[in-house]
Amino acid sequence: MKNKIKVFRAMHDMTQEDLAQAIGVTRQTILAIEKGKYVPSLDLAFRIARTFNVTIEDVFQYEAASPITVGID
Amino acid sequence: MKKNSFYLIVGCIALALLAVFWYSVEHHIRFITEAAFIVAIVLIYLIRTKVTDFIEDERTTRITEQAAVRTFQVFWVILCAFSIGAVMQILYIPSFPQEHFTNAASRPPVILGPRLMGFFQLFLLCLMIFLYVAFRIYYARKYGDWETDEE
C-alpha cells in the first residue's frame, strides 16, 4: 500500500505531529504509515483523507504485489 | 493524572507487594501474597483509567494484540507439555501397591515434588514474561516503533 501523506502534509504545511493530533493518533503511527511499515484501518484512512479534504484513493494507492496467502505474518 | 505519577504509584505498589511477599514467606501464609497480588493488579488497572496522557491508537493496540496472541500460541504448548507430565505423575498407579506400602525403597520416585513444582511454576512465569517482551519488541519494530525521519 503506497501513500502520499507526506506530499499532502507538505501541501497543507502540516508536521507529523499536527496530523497526528488532528486525527488522534501518535506521531510514530503517522511516521510508520508514511514509511509503509503499517497499513492503517479503513477508519483511520478515512480520517486522514478527510483532514486533507480529499478522497481515500487520492492518498492511498493499493498495490497487489503478490497473491493473497494465509499464514503467520 | 499524569503518566509519571502513575509510574510512581505503580512503583510504590510493587514495593508494598514485595513487603507483603517477604512477610508471607517469613510466616508461611501464602494466601496473603495471593490476595495482595490480585488487589494490586486491580488497583493498577483502576488507576490506569485515570491517566490522561496515555496515547493509544490502533497501531499500538495491534502491537499489543499480536504480541499477546503469539505469546499464547507458544506458551500453551509448553504449559500443556509440562501439565501432561504432572498429570502422568498423578495417574501413576503401581502394579503391586502392597509392596510399595511395605517397602519404602521400591516406591515410585516422586518426579514432581511440591518444591520442584514451584520452580517449574517460576520458570513458566519467567518464560511467559520473556516471550511477551520479546514478541512485543519484534512487533514494535515491525510496525515502525523505532523509525526515525528527517523531521
Side-chain angles (χ1 to χ4, degrees), chain A residues 1 23 33 38-50 55-57 59-60 62, chain B residues 58:
Chain A
M1 182 87 76
I23 59 174
I33 296 169
Y38 177 69
V39 179
S41 68
L42 201 54
D43 178 66
L44 185 56
F46 265 111
R47 275 189 279 156
I48 292 169
R50 283 187 181 178
T55 62
I56 282 189
E57 289 85 357
V59 185
F60 296 97
Y62 178 68
Chain B
E58 60 175 49

Side-chain angles (χ1 to χ4, degrees), chain B residues 70-142:
Chain B
R70 294 289 177 261
T71 303
F72 180 71
Q73 282 179 336
V74 177
F75 187 72
W76 84 266
V77 178
I78 298 163
L79 182 69
C80 279
F82 167 72
S83 300
I84 288 166
V87 168
M88 280 179 74
Q89 179 78 34
I90 295 165
L91 293 178
Y92 179 78
I93 301 164
S95 308
F96 303 102
Q98 201 168 357
E99 185 194 342
H100 295 305
F101 282 114
T102 51
N103 186 7
S106 69
R107 279 178 199 160
V110 178
I111 302 163
L112 285 171
R115 197 171 180 81
L116 197 59
M117 196 85 156
F119 279 117
F120 264 115
Q121 294 274 347
L122 186 66
F123 165 73
L124 289 174
L125 188 68
C126 292
L127 180 75
M128 188 168 67
I129 293 166
F130 172 77
L131 280 174
Y132 181 73
V133 169
F135 278 123
R136 210 184 152 87
I137 290 169
Y138 170 76
Y139 283 106
R141 183 186 284 265
K142 185 180 175 183

Side-chain angles (χ1 to χ4, degrees), chain B residues 11-80:
Chain B
C12 292
I13 290 173
L15 279 175
L17 208 55
L18 203 66
V20 171
F21 180 72
W22 175 78
Y23 178 85
S24 182
V25 171
E26 280 284 304
H27 295 81
H28 208 69
I29 319 167
R30 67 187 171 101
F31 296 109
I32 296 177
T33 306
E34 289 167 352
F37 182 75
I38 293 168
V39 169
I41 297 298
V42 169
L43 210 60
I44 287 170
Y45 281 153
L46 284 175
I47 297 167
R48 198 179 186 283
T49 58
K50 307 283 178 200
V51 182
T52 49
D53 58 347
F54 262 137
I55 303 173
E56 277 192 342
D57 57 23
E58 60 175 49
R59 190 183 59 88
T60 53
T61 306
R62 186 162 171 79
I63 290 169
T64 307
E65 282 173 359
Q66 290 278 74
V69 167
R70 294 289 177 261
T71 303
F72 180 71
Q73 282 179 336
V74 177
F75 187 72
W76 84 266
V77 178
I78 298 163
L79 182 69
C80 279

Side-chain angles (χ1 to χ4, degrees), chain A residues 5-62:
Chain A
I5 295 176
K6 207 166 187 170
V7 176
F8 279 104
R9 273 199 307 110
M11 284 166 65
H12 288 77
D13 196 23
M14 286 177 99
T15 63
Q16 287 174 341
E17 190 65 53
D18 295 336
L19 179 60
Q21 281 185 357
I23 59 174
V25 295
T26 59
R27 190 186 84 88
Q28 210 60 35
T29 297
I30 300 296
L31 178 58
I33 296 169
E34 279 185 5
K35 292 216 167 188
K37 288 265 183 178
Y38 177 69
V39 179
S41 68
L42 201 54
D43 178 66
L44 185 56
F46 265 111
R47 275 189 279 156
I48 292 169
R50 283 187 181 178
T51 307
F52 297 130
N53 290 316
V54 291
T55 62
I56 282 189
E57 289 85 357
D58 291 331
V59 185
F60 296 97
Q61 288 82 44
Y62 178 68

